Coordinates of all heavy atoms in Angstrom, one line a residue:
M1 N 1.9 24.6 17.0 CA 2.0 23.4 16.2 C 1.9 23.8 14.7 O 2.7 23.3 13.9 CB 0.8 22.5 16.5 CG 0.7 21.3 15.7 SD 2.0 20.2 16.1 CE 1.6 18.8 15.0
K2 N 1.1 24.8 14.4 CA 0.9 25.2 13.0 C 2.2 26.0 12.6 O 2.6 25.8 11.4 CB -0.3 26.2 12.9 CG -0.7 26.4 11.5 CD -2.0 27.2 11.5 CE -2.6 27.3 10.1 NZ -3.8 28.0 10.1
K3 N 2.8 26.8 13.5 CA 4.0 27.5 13.1 C 5.2 26.5 12.9 O 6.0 26.6 12.0 CB 4.4 28.4 14.2 CG 3.6 29.7 14.2 CD 4.1 30.6 15.3 CE 3.2 31.9 15.4 NZ 3.7 32.8 16.4
M4 N 5.2 25.4 13.7 CA 6.2 24.4 13.5 C 6.1 23.7 12.1 O 7.1 23.4 11.4 CB 6.2 23.4 14.6 CG 7.4 22.4 14.6 SD 7.4 21.4 16.1 CE 6.5 20.0 15.5
A5 N 4.8 23.4 11.7 CA 4.6 22.7 10.5 C 5.0 23.6 9.3 O 5.6 23.2 8.3 CB 3.1 22.3 10.4
I6 N 4.7 24.9 9.4 CA 5.1 25.9 8.4 C 6.6 26.0 8.3 O 7.2 26.0 7.2 CB 4.4 27.2 8.6 CG1 2.9 27.1 8.4 CG2 5.0 28.3 7.7 CD1 2.2 28.4 8.9
R7 N 7.3 26.0 9.4 CA 8.8 26.1 9.4 C 9.4 24.8 8.8 O 10.3 24.9 8.0 CB 9.3 26.2 10.8 CG 9.1 27.6 11.4 CD 9.6 27.7 12.8 NE 9.3 29.0 13.3 CZ 9.4 29.3 14.6 NH1 9.8 28.4 15.5 NH2 9.1 30.5 15.0
L8 N 8.8 23.7 9.1 CA 9.3 22.4 8.5 C 9.1 22.4 7.0 O 10.0 22.0 6.3 CB 8.6 21.2 9.2 CG 8.9 19.9 8.6 CD1 10.4 19.5 9.0 CD2 8.0 18.8 9.2
F9 N 7.9 22.8 6.6 CA 7.6 22.9 5.2 C 8.6 23.8 4.4 O 9.1 23.5 3.4 CB 6.2 23.3 4.9 CG 5.8 23.4 3.5 CD1 5.5 22.3 2.8 CD2 5.7 24.7 2.9 CE1 5.1 22.4 1.4 CE2 5.3 24.8 1.6 CZ 5.0 23.6 0.8
L10 N 8.8 25.0 5.0 CA 9.7 25.9 4.3 C 11.2 25.4 4.3 O 11.9 25.6 3.4 CB 9.6 27.3 5.0 CG 8.3 28.1 4.8 CD1 8.3 29.3 5.7 CD2 8.1 28.4 3.4
S11 N 11.6 24.8 5.4 CA 13.0 24.3 5.4 C 13.2 23.2 4.4 O 14.2 23.1 3.8 CB 13.3 23.8 6.8 OG 12.5 22.7 7.2
V12 N 12.2 22.3 4.2 CA 12.3 21.3 3.2 C 12.3 21.9 1.8 O 13.2 21.5 1.0 CB 11.1 20.3 3.3 CG1 11.0 19.4 2.1 CG2 11.2 19.5 4.6
W13 N 11.5 22.9 1.6 CA 11.6 23.5 0.2 C 12.9 24.2 0.0 O 13.5 24.2 -1.1 CB 10.4 24.5 0.1 CG 9.2 23.9 -0.5 CD1 8.1 23.6 0.2 CD2 9.1 23.4 -1.8 NE1 7.2 22.9 -0.7 CE2 7.8 22.8 -1.9 CE3 9.9 23.3 -2.9 CZ2 7.4 22.2 -3.1 CZ3 9.4 22.8 -4.1 CH2 8.2 22.2 -4.2
I14 N 13.5 24.8 1.0 CA 14.8 25.5 0.9 C 15.9 24.5 0.6 O 16.7 24.7 -0.3 CB 15.1 26.3 2.2 CG1 14.2 27.5 2.3 CG2 16.6 26.7 2.2 CD1 14.3 28.3 3.6
I15 N 15.8 23.3 1.2 CA 16.8 22.2 1.0 C 16.6 21.7 -0.5 O 17.6 21.5 -1.2 CB 16.6 21.1 2.0 CG1 17.1 21.6 3.4 CG2 17.4 19.9 1.6 CD1 16.8 20.6 4.5
I16 N 15.4 21.5 -0.9 CA 15.2 21.1 -2.3 C 15.6 22.1 -3.3 O 16.3 21.7 -4.3 CB 13.7 20.7 -2.5 CG1 13.3 19.4 -1.7 CG2 13.4 20.5 -3.9 CD1 11.9 19.1 -1.7
I17 N 15.3 23.3 -3.1 CA 15.7 24.4 -4.1 C 17.2 24.5 -4.1 O 17.8 24.8 -5.2 CB 15.0 25.7 -3.7 CG1 13.5 25.5 -4.1 CG2 15.5 26.8 -4.5 CD1 12.6 26.7 -3.6
S18 N 17.9 24.4 -3.0 CA 19.3 24.6 -3.0 C 20.0 23.4 -3.6 O 21.2 23.6 -4.0 CB 19.8 24.8 -1.5 OG 19.6 23.6 -0.8
N19 N 19.4 22.3 -3.8 CA 20.0 21.1 -4.4 C 19.4 20.8 -5.8 O 19.2 19.6 -6.1 CB 19.9 19.9 -3.5 CG 20.7 20.1 -2.3 OD1 21.8 20.6 -2.3 ND2 20.1 19.8 -1.1
V20 N 19.0 21.8 -6.5 CA 18.3 21.5 -7.8 C 19.2 20.7 -8.8 O 18.7 19.8 -9.5 CB 17.9 22.9 -8.5 CG1 17.4 22.7 -9.9 CG2 16.8 23.5 -7.7
G21 N 20.5 21.0 -8.8 CA 21.4 20.2 -9.6 C 21.4 18.8 -9.3 O 21.4 17.9 -10.2
K22 N 21.3 18.4 -8.1 CA 21.3 17.0 -7.7 C 19.9 16.4 -8.0 O 19.9 15.2 -8.3 CB 21.6 16.9 -6.2 CG 23.0 17.3 -5.8 CD 23.3 17.2 -4.4 CE 24.7 17.7 -4.0 NZ 24.9 17.7 -2.6
V23 N 18.9 17.2 -7.9 CA 17.5 16.7 -8.2 C 17.4 16.3 -9.7 O 16.7 15.4 -10.0 CB 16.5 17.7 -7.8 CG1 15.1 17.3 -8.2 CG2 16.4 17.9 -6.3
L24 N 18.1 17.1 -10.5 CA 18.0 16.8 -11.9 C 19.0 15.7 -12.4 O 19.0 15.5 -13.6 CB 18.3 18.1 -12.7 CG 17.3 19.3 -12.5 CD1 17.7 20.5 -13.2 CD2 15.9 18.8 -13.0
A25 N 19.6 15.1 -11.5 CA 20.6 14.0 -11.9 C 19.8 12.8 -12.4 O 18.6 12.6 -12.1 CB 21.4 13.6 -10.7
Q26 N 20.4 11.9 -13.1 CA 19.8 10.8 -13.7 C 20.5 9.5 -13.3 O 21.6 9.5 -12.9 CB 19.9 10.9 -15.2 CG 19.2 12.1 -15.8 CD 19.4 12.2 -17.3 OE1 20.3 11.6 -17.8 NE2 18.7 13.0 -18.0
C27 N 19.8 8.4 -13.4 CA 20.4 7.1 -13.0 C 21.3 6.7 -14.1 O 21.4 7.3 -15.2 CB 19.3 6.0 -12.8 SG 18.4 5.6 -14.3
A28 N 22.1 5.7 -13.9 CA 23.1 5.2 -14.8 C 22.6 4.8 -16.2 O 23.1 5.1 -17.2 CB 24.0 4.2 -14.2
M29 N 21.4 4.0 -16.1 CA 20.8 3.5 -17.4 C 20.3 4.7 -18.2 O 20.4 4.7 -19.4 CB 19.8 2.5 -17.0 CG 20.3 1.2 -16.5 SD 19.0 0.0 -16.0 CE 18.3 -0.3 -17.6
C30 N 19.6 5.6 -17.5 CA 19.1 6.8 -18.2 C 20.2 7.6 -18.8 O 20.1 8.1 -20.0 CB 18.2 7.6 -17.3 SG 16.8 6.7 -16.6
K31 N 21.3 7.8 -18.1 CA 22.4 8.5 -18.6 C 23.0 7.9 -19.8 O 23.3 8.6 -20.8 CB 23.4 8.7 -17.5 CG 24.6 9.6 -17.9 CD 25.5 9.8 -16.7 CE 26.7 10.7 -17.2 NZ 27.6 10.9 -16.1
A32 N 23.1 6.6 -19.8 CA 23.6 5.9 -21.0 C 22.7 6.0 -22.2 O 23.2 6.2 -23.3 CB 23.9 4.4 -20.7
S33 N 21.4 5.9 -21.9 CA 20.4 6.1 -23.0 C 20.5 7.5 -23.6 O 20.4 7.7 -24.8 CB 19.0 5.8 -22.5 OG 18.1 6.1 -23.4
V34 N 20.7 8.5 -22.8 CA 20.8 9.9 -23.2 C 22.0 10.0 -24.1 O 22.0 10.7 -25.1 CB 20.7 10.8 -22.0 CG1 21.1 12.2 -22.5 CG2 19.4 10.9 -21.4
E35 N 23.1 9.5 -23.6 CA 24.4 9.7 -24.3 C 24.4 9.1 -25.7 O 24.9 9.6 -26.6 CB 25.6 9.1 -23.5 CG 25.9 9.9 -22.3 CD 27.0 9.3 -21.4 OE1 27.3 8.1 -21.6 OE2 27.4 9.9 -20.4
T36 N 23.7 7.9 -25.8 CA 23.6 7.3 -27.1 C 22.7 8.0 -28.1 O 22.9 8.0 -29.3 CB 23.2 5.8 -27.0 OG1 22.0 5.7 -26.4 CG2 24.3 5.0 -26.3
N37 N 21.6 8.6 -27.5 CA 20.6 9.3 -28.3 C 20.9 10.8 -28.6 O 20.2 11.4 -29.3 CB 19.2 9.1 -27.7 CG 18.7 7.7 -27.9 OD1 19.0 7.1 -28.9 ND2 18.1 7.2 -26.9
V38 N 21.8 11.4 -27.9 CA 22.1 12.8 -28.1 C 22.6 13.0 -29.5 O 22.2 14.0 -30.1 CB 23.1 13.3 -27.0 CG1 23.7 14.6 -27.4 CG2 22.5 13.4 -25.7
N39 N 23.4 12.1 -30.0 CA 23.9 12.3 -31.4 C 22.7 12.2 -32.4 O 22.8 12.8 -33.4 CB 24.9 11.3 -31.7 CG 26.2 11.4 -30.8 OD1 26.4 12.5 -30.3 ND2 26.9 10.4 -30.6
V40 N 21.7 11.4 -32.1 CA 20.6 11.1 -33.1 C 19.6 12.2 -32.9 O 19.2 12.9 -33.9 CB 20.0 9.8 -32.8 CG1 18.8 9.5 -33.7 CG2 21.0 8.7 -33.0
D41 N 19.1 12.4 -31.7 CA 17.9 13.4 -31.5 C 18.3 14.7 -31.0 O 17.5 15.6 -30.9 CB 16.9 12.7 -30.6 CG 16.2 11.5 -31.1 OD1 16.2 11.4 -32.4 OD2 15.8 10.7 -30.3
G42 N 19.5 14.9 -30.6 CA 19.9 16.2 -30.1 C 19.6 16.3 -28.6 O 19.3 15.3 -28.0
I43 N 19.8 17.4 -28.1 CA 19.6 17.7 -26.6 C 18.2 17.6 -26.2 O 17.9 17.3 -25.0 CB 20.2 19.0 -26.2 CG1 21.7 19.2 -26.7 CG2 20.1 19.3 -24.8 CD1 22.6 18.2 -26.0
G44 N 17.2 17.7 -27.0 CA 15.8 17.7 -26.7 C 15.4 16.4 -26.0 O 14.6 16.4 -25.1
F45 N 16.0 15.3 -26.5 CA 15.7 14.0 -25.9 C 16.1 13.9 -24.5 O 15.3 13.4 -23.6 CB 16.4 12.9 -26.7 CG 16.2 11.5 -26.1 CD1 15.0 10.9 -26.3 CD2 17.2 10.9 -25.4 CE1 14.8 9.6 -25.8 CE2 17.0 9.7 -24.8 CZ 15.8 9.0 -25.0
A46 N 17.2 14.4 -24.1 CA 17.7 14.4 -22.7 C 16.8 15.2 -21.8 O 16.5 14.8 -20.7 CB 19.1 15.0 -22.7
A47 N 16.4 16.4 -22.3 CA 15.5 17.2 -21.5 C 14.1 16.5 -21.3 O 13.6 16.6 -20.2 CB 15.3 18.6 -22.2
K48 N 13.6 15.9 -22.3 CA 12.3 15.2 -22.2 C 12.5 14.0 -21.2 O 11.6 13.8 -20.4 CB 11.9 14.7 -23.5 CG 11.4 15.8 -24.5 CD 11.1 15.3 -25.8 CE 10.8 16.4 -26.8 NZ 10.6 15.9 -28.2
L49 N 13.6 13.3 -21.3 CA 13.8 12.2 -20.4 C 13.9 12.6 -19.0 O 13.3 12.0 -18.1 CB 15.0 11.4 -20.8 CG 15.3 10.1 -20.0 CD1 14.2 9.1 -20.2 CD2 16.7 9.5 -20.4
N50 N 14.6 13.7 -18.8 CA 14.8 14.3 -17.4 C 13.4 14.7 -16.8 O 13.1 14.5 -15.7 CB 15.8 15.4 -17.5 CG 16.6 15.5 -16.2 OD1 16.5 14.7 -15.3 ND2 17.4 16.5 -16.1
T51 N 12.6 15.3 -17.7 CA 11.3 15.8 -17.2 C 10.4 14.5 -16.8 O 9.7 14.6 -15.8 CB 10.6 16.6 -18.3 OG1 11.4 17.7 -18.7 CG2 9.2 17.1 -17.9
G52 N 10.5 13.5 -17.6 CA 9.8 12.3 -17.3 C 10.2 11.7 -16.0 O 9.4 11.2 -15.2
I53 N 11.5 11.7 -15.8 CA 12.0 11.1 -14.5 C 11.5 11.9 -13.3 O 11.0 11.3 -12.3 CB 13.5 11.1 -14.5 CG1 14.0 10.1 -15.5 CG2 14.1 10.8 -13.1 CD1 15.5 10.1 -15.8
L54 N 11.5 13.2 -13.4 CA 11.0 14.1 -12.4 C 9.5 13.9 -12.1 O 9.0 13.9 -11.0 CB 11.3 15.5 -12.6 CG 12.8 15.9 -12.5 CD1 13.0 17.4 -12.9 CD2 13.3 15.7 -11.1
Y55 N 8.8 13.7 -13.2 CA 7.3 13.5 -13.1 C 7.1 12.2 -12.4 O 6.2 12.1 -11.5 CB 6.7 13.4 -14.5 CG 5.3 13.1 -14.6 CD1 4.3 14.1 -14.3 CD2 4.8 11.8 -14.9 CE1 3.0 13.8 -14.3 CE2 3.5 11.5 -14.9 CZ 2.6 12.5 -14.6 OH 1.2 12.2 -14.7
L56 N 7.8 11.1 -12.7 CA 7.6 9.8 -12.1 C 8.0 9.9 -10.6 O 7.5 9.2 -9.8 CB 8.3 8.7 -12.8 CG 7.8 8.3 -14.1 CD1 8.7 7.4 -14.8 CD2 6.4 7.7 -14.0
F57 N 9.0 10.7 -10.3 CA 9.5 10.9 -8.9 C 8.5 11.6 -8.1 O 8.3 11.3 -6.9 CB 10.8 11.6 -9.0 CG 11.4 12.0 -7.6 CD1 11.9 11.1 -6.8 CD2 11.3 13.3 -7.2 CE1 12.4 11.4 -5.5 CE2 11.8 13.7 -6.0 CZ 12.3 12.8 -5.1
V58 N 7.9 12.7 -8.6 CA 7.0 13.6 -7.8 C 5.6 13.0 -7.5 O 5.0 13.2 -6.5 CB 7.0 14.9 -8.4 CG1 5.9 15.8 -7.8 CG2 8.3 15.6 -8.4
M59 N 5.1 12.3 -8.5 CA 3.7 11.9 -8.4 C 3.3 11.1 -7.2 O 2.3 11.4 -6.5 CB 3.3 11.1 -9.7 CG 3.0 12.0 -10.8 SD 1.6 13.1 -10.5 CE 2.3 14.6 -11.1
P60 N 4.1 10.1 -6.8 CA 3.7 9.3 -5.5 C 3.7 10.2 -4.3 O 2.8 10.1 -3.5 CB 4.7 8.2 -5.4 CG 5.3 8.1 -6.7 CD 5.2 9.4 -7.4
Y61 N 4.6 11.1 -4.2 CA 4.7 12.0 -3.0 C 3.5 13.0 -3.1 O 2.9 13.3 -2.0 CB 6.0 12.8 -3.0 CG 7.2 11.9 -2.7 CD1 8.0 11.5 -3.7 CD2 7.4 11.4 -1.5 CE1 9.1 10.7 -3.5 CE2 8.4 10.5 -1.2 CZ 9.3 10.2 -2.2 OH 10.3 9.3 -2.0
L62 N 3.1 13.4 -4.2 CA 2.0 14.4 -4.4 C 0.7 13.7 -4.0 O -0.1 14.2 -3.3 CB 1.9 14.9 -5.8 CG 0.9 16.0 -6.1 CD1 1.3 17.2 -5.3 CD2 1.0 16.3 -7.6
L63 N 0.5 12.4 -4.4 CA -0.7 11.7 -4.1 C -0.8 11.4 -2.5 O -1.8 11.6 -2.0 CB -0.7 10.3 -4.8 CG -1.0 10.4 -6.3 CD1 -0.8 9.0 -6.9 CD2 -2.4 10.9 -6.5
V64 N 0.4 11.1 -1.9 CA 0.4 10.9 -0.5 C 0.0 12.2 0.2 O -0.7 12.2 1.2 CB 1.7 10.3 0.0 CG1 1.9 10.4 1.5 CG2 1.9 8.9 -0.5
L65 N 0.6 13.3 -0.2 CA 0.3 14.6 0.3 C -1.2 15.0 0.2 O -1.8 15.4 1.2 CB 1.1 15.7 -0.3 CG 1.1 17.1 0.2 CD1 1.7 17.1 1.6 CD2 1.7 18.1 -0.7
I66 N -1.8 14.7 -0.9 CA -3.2 15.0 -1.1 C -4.1 14.1 -0.2 O -5.0 14.6 0.4 CB -3.6 14.8 -2.6 CG1 -3.0 16.0 -3.4 CG2 -5.1 14.9 -2.8 CD1 -3.1 15.7 -4.9
I67 N -3.8 12.8 -0.2 CA -4.6 11.9 0.7 C -4.4 12.3 2.2 O -5.4 12.3 2.9 CB -4.1 10.5 0.5 CG1 -4.6 10.0 -0.9 CG2 -4.7 9.5 1.5 CD1 -4.0 8.7 -1.4
G68 N -3.2 12.7 2.6 CA -3.0 13.1 4.0 C -3.8 14.4 4.3 O -4.3 14.5 5.4
Y69 N -3.9 15.3 3.4 CA -4.6 16.5 3.6 C -6.1 16.2 3.8 O -6.7 16.7 4.8 CB -4.4 17.5 2.4 CG -5.3 18.7 2.5 CD1 -5.1 19.7 3.4 CD2 -6.5 18.8 1.7 CE1 -5.9 20.8 3.5 CE2 -7.3 19.9 1.7 CZ -7.0 20.9 2.6 OH -7.9 21.9 2.7
F70 N -6.7 15.4 2.9 CA -8.1 15.1 3.1 C -8.3 14.3 4.4 O -9.4 14.5 5.0 CB -8.6 14.4 1.9 CG -8.8 15.3 0.7 CD1 -8.1 15.2 -0.5 CD2 -9.8 16.4 0.8 CE1 -8.3 16.1 -1.5 CE2 -10.0 17.2 -0.3 CZ -9.2 17.1 -1.4
W71 N -7.4 13.4 4.7 CA -7.6 12.6 5.9 C -7.5 13.5 7.2 O -8.3 13.4 8.1 CB -6.4 11.6 6.0 CG -6.5 10.6 7.2 CD1 -7.5 10.6 8.1 CD2 -5.6 9.6 7.4 NE1 -7.2 9.6 9.0 CE2 -6.1 8.9 8.6 CE3 -4.5 9.1 6.8 CZ2 -5.4 7.8 9.1 CZ3 -3.9 8.0 7.3 CH2 -4.3 7.4 8.4
Y72 N -6.6 14.5 7.2 CA -6.5 15.5 8.3 C -7.8 16.3 8.4 O -8.3 16.5 9.5 CB -5.3 16.4 8.1 CG -5.3 17.5 9.0 CD1 -4.9 17.3 10.4 CD2 -5.6 18.8 8.6 CE1 -4.9 18.4 11.3 CE2 -5.6 19.9 9.5 CZ -5.2 19.7 10.8 OH -5.2 20.7 11.7
K73 N -8.3 16.7 7.2 CA -9.5 17.6 7.2 C -10.7 16.8 7.7 O -11.5 17.3 8.5 CB -9.7 18.1 5.8 CG -10.7 19.2 5.7 CD -10.7 19.8 4.3 CE -11.6 20.9 4.2 NZ -11.6 21.5 2.9
K74 N -10.8 15.5 7.3 CA -11.9 14.7 7.8 C -11.8 14.4 9.3 O -12.8 14.4 10.0 CB -11.9 13.4 7.0 CG -13.1 12.5 7.1 CD -14.3 13.2 6.4 CE -15.5 12.2 6.4 NZ -16.6 12.8 5.8
S75 N -10.6 14.1 9.8 CA -10.5 13.8 11.2 C -10.8 15.0 12.0 O -11.3 14.9 13.1 CB -9.1 13.3 11.5 OG -8.1 14.3 11.3
K76 N -10.4 16.2 11.5 CA -10.7 17.5 12.2 C -12.2 17.7 12.3 O -12.8 18.0 13.4 CB -10.0 18.6 11.5 CG -10.0 19.9 12.3 CD -9.2 20.9 11.5 CE -9.1 22.2 12.3 NZ -8.4 23.3 11.6
E77 N -12.9 17.4 11.2 CA -14.4 17.5 11.2 C -15.0 16.5 12.2 O -16.0 16.8 12.9 CB -14.9 17.3 9.8 CG -16.4 17.4 9.6 CD -16.9 17.2 8.2 OE1 -16.1 17.4 7.3 OE2 -18.0 16.7 8.1
H78 N -14.5 15.3 12.2 CA -15.0 14.2 13.0 C -14.8 14.6 14.5 O -15.7 14.4 15.3 CB -14.3 12.9 12.7 CG -14.8 11.8 13.5 ND1 -16.0 11.2 13.4 CD2 -14.2 11.1 14.5 CE1 -16.2 10.3 14.3 NE2 -15.1 10.1 15.0
R79 N -13.7 15.2 14.8 CA -13.4 15.6 16.2 C -14.3 16.7 16.6 O -14.8 16.7 17.8 CB -11.9 16.1 16.3 CG -11.5 16.3 17.7 CD -10.0 16.7 17.8 NE -9.1 16.0 16.9 CZ -8.3 16.6 16.1 NH1 -8.2 17.9 16.0 NH2 -7.5 15.9 15.3
R80 N -14.6 17.6 15.7 CA -15.6 18.7 16.0 C -17.0 18.2 16.3 O -17.6 18.6 17.2 CB -15.6 19.7 14.9 CG -16.5 20.9 15.2 CD -16.6 21.8 13.9 NE -17.0 21.2 12.7 CZ -18.3 20.9 12.5 NH1 -19.3 21.3 13.3 NH2 -18.7 20.3 11.3
L81 N -17.4 17.2 15.5 CA -18.7 16.6 15.7 C -18.8 15.8 17.0 O -19.8 15.9 17.7 CB -19.1 15.6 14.6 CG -19.4 16.3 13.2 CD1 -19.5 15.2 12.1 CD2 -20.6 17.1 13.3
L82 N -17.7 15.2 17.4 CA -17.7 14.5 18.7 C -17.8 15.5 19.9 O -18.5 15.2 20.9 CB -16.4 13.6 18.8 CG -16.4 12.3 18.0 CD1 -15.0 11.7 18.2 CD2 -17.5 11.4 18.5
E83 N -17.1 16.6 19.8 CA -17.2 17.6 20.8 C -18.6 18.2 20.9 O -19.1 18.4 22.0 CB -16.1 18.7 20.5 CG -14.7 18.3 20.7 CD -13.7 19.3 20.3 OE1 -14.1 20.4 19.8 OE2 -12.5 19.1 20.5
E84 N -19.2 18.4 19.8 CA -20.6 18.9 19.8 C -21.5 17.9 20.4 O -22.4 18.3 21.2 CB -21.1 19.3 18.4 CG -20.5 20.5 17.8 CD -21.0 20.8 16.4 OE1 -21.9 20.0 15.9 OE2 -20.5 21.7 15.8
T85 N -21.4 16.7 20.1 CA -22.2 15.6 20.7 C -22.0 15.5 22.2 O -23.0 15.4 22.9 CB -21.9 14.3 20.0 OG1 -22.1 14.4 18.6 CG2 -22.9 13.2 20.4
S86 N -20.8 15.5 22.6 CA -20.6 15.4 24.1 C -21.1 16.6 24.8 O -21.6 16.5 25.9 CB -19.1 15.2 24.3 OG -18.3 16.4 24.0
S87 N -21.0 17.8 24.2 CA -21.5 19.0 24.9 C -23.0 19.0 24.9 O -23.6 19.3 25.9 CB -21.1 20.3 24.2 OG -21.6 20.4 22.9
R88 N -23.7 18.4 23.9 CA -25.1 18.3 23.9 C -25.6 17.3 25.0 O -26.5 17.5 25.7 CB -25.6 17.8 22.5 CG -25.6 18.9 21.5 CD -26.1 18.4 20.2 NE -26.0 19.4 19.2 CZ -26.0 19.2 17.9 NH1 -26.2 17.9 17.4 NH2 -25.8 20.1 17.0
K89 N -24.8 16.2 25.1 CA -25.2 15.2 26.1 C -25.0 15.7 27.5 O -25.9 15.4 28.4 CB -24.3 13.9 25.9 CG -24.7 13.1 24.7 CD -23.7 11.9 24.7 CE -24.1 11.0 23.4 NZ -23.2 9.8 23.3
S90 N -24.0 16.5 27.7 CA -23.8 17.1 29.1 C -24.9 18.1 29.4 O -25.4 18.1 30.5 CB -22.4 17.7 29.2 OG -22.3 18.8 28.3
R91 N -25.4 18.9 28.4 CA -26.5 19.8 28.6 C -27.8 19.1 28.9 O -28.5 19.4 29.8 CB -26.7 20.7 27.4 CG -25.7 21.9 27.4 CD -26.0 22.9 26.3 NE -25.1 22.6 25.2 CZ -25.3 22.7 23.9 NH1 -26.5 23.1 23.5 NH2 -24.4 22.5 23.0
I92 N -28.0 18.0 28.2 CA -29.2 17.2 28.4 C -29.2 16.5 29.8 O -30.2 16.5 30.5 CB -29.4 16.1 27.3 CG1 -29.7 16.8 26.0 CG2 -30.4 15.1 27.7 CD1 -29.7 15.9 24.8
A93 N -28.0 16.1 30.2 CA -27.8 15.5 31.5 C -28.1 16.5 32.6 O -28.7 16.2 33.6 CB -26.5 14.8 31.7
R94 N -27.6 17.7 32.4 CA -27.9 18.8 33.4 C -29.3 19.1 33.5 O -29.9 19.4 34.6 CB -27.1 20.0 33.1 CG -25.6 19.9 33.6 CD -24.9 21.2 33.3 NE -24.4 21.2 31.9 CZ -24.1 22.2 31.2 NH1 -24.2 23.4 31.6 NH2 -23.7 22.0 29.9
L95 N -30.0 19.2 32.3 CA -31.4 19.5 32.4 C -32.2 18.3 33.0 O -33.2 18.6 33.7 CB -32.0 19.7 30.9 CG -31.5 21.0 30.2 CD1 -32.0 21.0 28.8 CD2 -32.0 22.2 31.0
G96 N -31.8 17.1 32.8 CA -32.5 16.0 33.4 C -32.4 15.9 34.9 O -33.2 15.4 35.6
S97 N -31.2 16.3 35.4 CA -31.0 16.3 36.8 C -31.7 17.4 37.6 O -31.8 17.3 38.8 CB -29.5 16.3 37.1 OG -28.9 17.6 36.8
Q98 N -32.2 18.4 36.9 CA -32.8 19.5 37.6 C -34.2 19.2 38.0 O -35.1 18.7 38.1 CB -32.8 20.8 36.8 CG -31.5 21.3 36.6 CD -31.5 22.6 35.7 OE1 -32.5 22.9 35.1 NE2 -30.3 23.2 35.6

């Protein structure tokens, strides 16, 4: 299971890295804004706008990833505690039956 998750993660990163040009693309409104402001502010405005778009794009996914990690960690700890409790109950039951 762990190897499959690692393979999936690596394949997603390979796909993202291979399509960097497409990831840096802009919507039509942003492109129009950049084209009108390139003459005024130069190329720096376009780069800043592109960085802002990527920031807004990545943040929700990053938050979901962080929440999912902590949820997984907490469920794993909860499962371990349930197993310990059930093993203690079975030992107590065996001692009581003797």
Side-chain angles (χ1 to χ4, degrees):
M1 178 70 178
K2 194 172 186 178
K3 287 183 180 181
M4 190 172 91
I6 291 172
R7 287 180 185 164
L8 178 67
F9 179 76
L10 289 176
S11 63
V12 168
W13 271 108
I14 289 170
I15 291 170
I16 289 173
I17 289 172
S18 66
N19 293 317
V20 170
K22 294 177 185 176
V23 171
L24 295 176
Q26 299 172 346
C27 66
M29 291 179 65
C30 298
K31 186 176 179 182
S33 176
V34 168
E35 287 174 355
T36 58
N37 288 321
V38 165
N39 297 334
V40 178
D41 293 335
I43 303 295
F45 176 76
K48 291 175 187 173
L49 183 64
N50 214 4
T51 304
I53 291 169
L54 290 176
Y55 176 77
L56 290 173
F57 171 73
V58 169
M59 281 300 135
Y61 294 105
L62 188 61
L63 287 174
V64 167
L65 186 68
I66 291 170
I67 290 169
Y69 171 74
F70 284 116
W71 186 357
Y72 171 75
K73 197 170 181 179
K74 191 72 171 174
S75 69
K76 193 173 180 181
E77 180 182 332
H78 182 68
R79 191 178 318 128
R80 184 184 55 81
L81 289 173
L82 285 176
E83 289 173 358
E84 285 180 6
T85 304
S86 65
S87 66
R88 286 180 187 163
K89 286 181 180 179
S90 64
R91 279 189 258 147
I92 291 172
R94 278 185 276 158
L95 289 174
S97 65
Q98 291 178 356

